[in-house]
């Protein structure tokens, strides 16, 4: 397969043309999405922390380790 080379100026023109076709989110949509990601990250953090503590207690109880 033969490769075609494009000079950098033409490449940048093509990139600019393709970027103009992109539908960018508004500032409000970006903020809402960011807040949702942070909220779900905190929820996941709390869930996995609680699961880790519960499994630690369960293993300690089953194996009789610790006290």
């Amino acid at each position: 397969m033969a490769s075609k080379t494009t000079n950098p100026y033409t490449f940048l023109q093509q990139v600019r043309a393709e970027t103009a076709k992109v539908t960018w989110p508004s500032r409000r949509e970006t903020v809402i999405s960011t807040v949702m990601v942070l909220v779900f990250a905190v929820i996941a953090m709390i869930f996995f922390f609680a699961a880790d503590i519960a499994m630690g207690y369960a293993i300690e109880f089953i194996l009789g380790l610790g006290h």
Side-chain angles (χ1 to χ4, degrees):
M1 196 161 131
S3 70
K4 281 177 39 176
T5 58
T6 304
N7 70 35
Y9 182 72
T10 305
F11 174 75
L12 290 176
Q13 283 181 327
Q14 293 171 350
V15 168
R16 192 170 188 173
E18 288 299 318
T19 304
K21 297 177 188 177
V22 174
T23 303
W24 297 100
S26 67
R27 180 177 295 271
R28 184 173 186 271
E29 290 170 331
T30 304
V31 169
I32 289 172
S33 297
T34 302
V35 169
M36 287 176 54
V37 167
L38 293 175
V39 166
F40 281 106
V42 169
I43 289 170
M45 177 187 67
I46 292 168
F47 170 77
F48 286 114
F49 178 74
D52 181 50
I53 296 296
M55 285 188 269
Y57 283 136
I59 289 172
E60 188 175 317
F61 177 74
I62 292 169
L63 298 177
L65 299 174
H67 304 289

